[in-house]
Amino acid sequence: MNCKANKCIECTVSQCAYHCDEANYCSLDRILVGTHESNPAMEQCTDCKSFRKK
């Protein structure tokens, strides 16, 4: 895949369609971070809502 890495968004989720295979960066201009908890208290409670499966 030939993607344009956004050096402001690091990403290690290689299963995402926006992940740059040649580097650990996202190719999106911006992402949406959200939560699946009503009262998030730790980092595991957050999610990248821009994720799309390859």
Side-chain angles (χ1 to χ4, degrees):
M1 178 171 102
N2 185 15
C3 85
K4 181 164 173 26
N6 182 339
K7 298 290 179 123
C8 294
I9 306 174
E10 293 184 70
C11 179
T12 59
V13 183
S14 59
Q15 298 83 355
C16 182
Y18 305 116
H19 182 266
C20 288
D21 291 328
E22 68 274 4
N24 282 331
Y25 291 102
C26 181
S27 62
L28 294 174
D29 290 333
R30 64 181 184 177
I31 61 170
L32 174 63
V33 177
T35 184
H36 56 271
E37 302 283 337
S38 60
N39 187 20
M42 49 189 168
E43 61 192 49
Q44 292 89 342
C45 299
T46 61
D47 305 293
C48 179
K49 298 291 189 175
S50 300
F51 173 83
R52 295 294 174 263
K53 184 164 174 45
K54 275 189 183 174

